[in-house]
Amino acid sequence: MKILAIDTSCDETCAAVLEEKNGKIKIKSNVVSSQIKVHKKYGGVVPGLAKREHEKNLTKVLEESLKKAGLLKKDKKNKKSFKEIDKILEREKELLKLTKKFLKDYKKPDIDFIAVTKGPGLEPCLWTGINFAKALSFFWEKPIIPVNHLKGHILVNLLEKKEIKFPAIALVASGGHTELVFIKDIKNYKLLGETRDDAAGECLDKVAKIINLPYPGGPEIEKLAKIGNPKAYSLPRPMITSKDYDFSFSGLKTAVLYLTKKIGKRKLKSKKTKSDIAASSQQAIIDVLISKTIKAAKDKKAKTILFGGGVVANKELRKQMKKKMKMELPKINYIEPKVSLSTDNAVMIGITGLLSKKKMIPFKNLSKIKAKANINF
């Protein structure tokens, strides 16, 4: 079974081809087109610009993905009508033009179905990916499976050569989400706690902006933190001792803002000062994420802890989590995805699609598929 997966939940245009054979999943291609350069000058993602970039890049990413998977073949005799495609992509004029050209030039690939992100994410971006998938689905007469992006961040761990024992606790931490999820089995998820304001990745981006680091802030903070002192400044660990599983990072961001005002603009230009602020801020977030995750695992008697999302690409977070687990939960499995599969990608959407085949929607019932920007588990 071969699956084409598409993700346009935020500012990265992603496509991948996966193959399932004898219960094993093989990645045939994984293509990600980043929009960092587009959004950098704004210090964050601008939804309208992100949608525009998806329209420009989706056919390029699809073409490259199919080519790498050995599924791209020229078609010189294609005379199929594009009437329905015109309707599906009537609001994405540039994407319509590029899609029609692509479908004229290439044969229907040897795939069984298409998986596409339905949410959560930025609604204009989600709709662009969904409508593109609908157009391909109708033209190729292939069914679609709408996929939950957050589940993708968790299920990508299935690619690691470790057994996921249930029940499990998953920490999903990214620019838009910081959540703890209880997983009874591979198909049953329950949200235990989430951020009440800023997500962990969002907080890192804002701290980076405060100390004049470029966007995206997370990787820049991590880079500077390597040479900084995490104990240089005493910063708050919001909600670290609360009895629930919720998070809050806006207070940490505010504390950093007040700290920089106290330090002064002149001293803030120093690389050492910036490095110490970066290290201290990063450590505050790490302490909260680890503490809450360990608490949830103990309370729910979990047999596995899973990581997912862009923030868990942070190597210091991974290192400290492993150390903490050896000390407090040595008998529990700990699984983290490869760094390259922690940030947004279509591989995780494909894997989730493979496990959601009952949700398959025939190409004649495409109106059922809708973007759900605020969907949860």
Side-chain angles (χ1 to χ4, degrees), residues 171-174 176-180 193-195 198-201 247 249 289:
L171 170 70
V172 180
S174 66
H177 301 272
T178 304
E179 302 179 336
L180 279 170
E194 60 188 327
T195 183
D198 291 350
F247 300 88
F249 293 106
L289 293 178

Side-chain angles (χ1 to χ4, degrees), residues 361-377:
I361 297 173
F363 70 91
K364 291 183 180 180
N365 295 333
L366 297 177
S367 61
K368 290 183 178 181
I369 306 170
K370 299 185 184 300
K372 297 181 179 180
N374 298 313
I375 192 175
N376 219 306
F377 291 95

Side-chain angles (χ1 to χ4, degrees), residues 135-294:
L136 299 178
S137 169
F138 190 88
F139 198 80
W140 292 338
E141 299 183 353
K142 298 291 181 181
I144 286 183
I145 296 178
V147 167
N148 183 312
H149 182 84
L150 295 177
K151 284 185 181 178
H153 275 307
I154 293 172
L155 293 175
V156 75
N157 283 289
L158 290 169
L159 289 173
E160 301 307 309
K161 294 177 181 178
K162 290 183 180 180
E163 182 186 0
I164 300 177
K165 295 179 181 179
F166 297 100
I169 291 292
L171 170 70
V172 180
S174 66
H177 301 272
T178 304
E179 302 179 336
L180 279 170
V181 184
F182 176 72
I183 310 170
K184 186 179 178 181
D185 57 53
I186 202 73
K187 292 183 179 179
N188 290 291
Y189 303 79
K190 182 183 178 183
L191 181 66
L192 294 179
E194 60 188 327
T195 183
R196 295 182 180 182
D197 38 61
D198 291 350
E202 188 180 4
C203 180
L204 288 168
D205 284 342
K206 288 178 178 178
V207 169
K209 192 172 184 178
I210 290 168
I211 59 175
N212 299 314
L213 296 178
Y215 173 85
E220 296 296 327
I221 291 283
E222 183 179 8
K223 199 187 301 179
L224 266 186
K226 289 178 183 177
I227 56 173
N229 177 8
K231 296 180 180 179
Y233 300 104
S234 179
L235 293 170
R237 271 71 172 158
M239 298 188 71
I240 195 168
T241 58
S242 66
K243 293 181 180 180
D244 55 32
Y245 307 108
D246 284 347
F247 300 88
S248 171
F249 293 106
S250 65
L252 173 59
K253 166 202 68 183
T254 303
V256 172
L257 180 61
Y258 286 144
L259 174 64
T260 56
K261 287 181 178 180
K262 186 178 178 181
I263 289 171
K265 290 182 180 179
R266 187 175 178 181
K267 194 176 179 182
L268 195 57
K269 291 179 181 179
S270 159
K271 189 172 184 179
K272 183 183 185 310
T273 303
K274 283 189 178 184
S275 300
D276 286 346
I277 293 173
S280 298
S281 302
Q282 177 179 275
Q283 190 58 52
I285 291 174
I286 287 174
D287 286 348
V288 174
L289 293 178
I290 291 177
S291 177
K292 289 279 188 174
T293 305
I294 295 290

